Amino acid sequence: MTTPTTQQRRELMVAAAATLLIAEGPRAITHRRVADAAGIPAGSANYLFATRRELYAAAVTSAENVRVTAATRVAEALPRSERDAVATASLLLETWYAPQTDPNLVRVRLEPMLEAGADPELREIMAVSRPRLLAALETVLDRCGFGGVGETEMIAQMLDASLLYAVGAGEADPRLAAARQVARLLDLLKRVPRG
């Protein structure tokens, strides 16, 4: 068995960091945890990424690539069919937060995304993926019978805001509560004449 090159070890670390970030959130991104997940010696982690910040930036970059790929896959696999606003909003949530929309969605996915958005370096990383994520949302809207409603950026903002509000309001199922709120927006947008 050959020893992985420095570049291969770095790639293993980045992939492991992205997986941990998506599954567990930012606190999981430590040199030791990422090295263990990557299957490389802990000492290599500090050599490959001198600081936690450098490791975290690499994790965010890779996680956003995973997110875009998963969101695009969800959107493009969706069969064209008229759906009601709540079903469409649920699919928008699934797409926007791909690849994982479990019950810890706000704590593990949304809060770290908001934190990253507050950091100038990480905000730039996330801004690169936003157009492709918005395009995935547009595909979902189109395939659900809501094509042409426009305002995809506002819908994306509403997805985030509705989830935060639902958690703050103590909703038993924040995803369903958020989907209902986004559905109201979709219904309103569908009634507004375009042009």
Side-chain angles (χ1 to χ4, degrees):
M1 184 159 107
T2 62
T3 303
T5 66
T6 300
Q7 182 60 33
Q8 289 169 330
R9 285 184 305 205
R10 186 173 176 83
E11 289 168 4
L12 289 169
M13 288 275 298
V14 170
T19 299
L20 286 170
L21 180 60
I22 290 167
E24 299 179 35
R27 286 185 272 288
I29 308 303
T30 67
H31 283 86
R32 180 172 300 285
R33 288 279 318 272
V34 174
D36 287 346
I40 65 170
S44 294
N46 290 331
Y47 169 75
L48 296 167
F49 296 93
T51 65
R52 182 189 182 273
R53 179 157 179 80
E54 183 184 344
L55 177 59
Y56 188 65
V60 170
T61 301
S62 184
E64 280 297 287
N65 288 333
V66 168
R67 181 180 173 209
V68 166
T69 300
T72 303
R73 188 178 309 122
V74 168
E76 290 178 355
L78 192 62
R80 191 173 297 278
S81 175
E82 292 290 318
R83 292 174 179 82
D84 68 23
V86 174
T88 301
S90 294
L91 289 166
L92 290 168
L93 279 163
E94 181 183 337
T95 303
W96 190 244
Y97 297 106
Q100 186 171 317
T101 57
D102 67 22
N104 294 317
L105 176 62
V106 171
R107 182 183 59 76
V108 174
R109 302 279 286 126
L110 180 55
E111 288 176 1
M113 289 164 55
L114 294 173
E115 280 180 36
D119 179 298
E121 178 187 353
L122 299 177
R123 181 175 40 238
E124 286 181 30
I125 292 168
M126 295 189 69
V128 169
S129 62
R130 194 163 185 93
R132 293 176 291 162
L133 291 165
L134 292 171
L137 292 183
E138 288 175 10
T139 300
V140 171
L141 289 167
D142 182 58
R143 294 194 180 181
C144 291
F146 286 84
V149 297
E151 304 298 340
T152 309
E153 180 66 48
M154 181 177 24
I155 292 168
Q157 292 172 19
M158 185 71 168
L159 292 168
D160 293 342
S162 295
L163 269 175
L164 287 173
Y165 184 82
V167 168
E171 293 286 344
D173 186 348
R175 294 169 298 175
L176 179 58
R180 287 182 177 145
Q181 291 303 312
V182 173
R184 290 177 61 203
L185 175 62
L186 292 175
D187 283 335
L188 289 170
L189 289 172
K190 199 163 189 177
R191 284 185 262 179
V192 173
R194 297 283 156 230

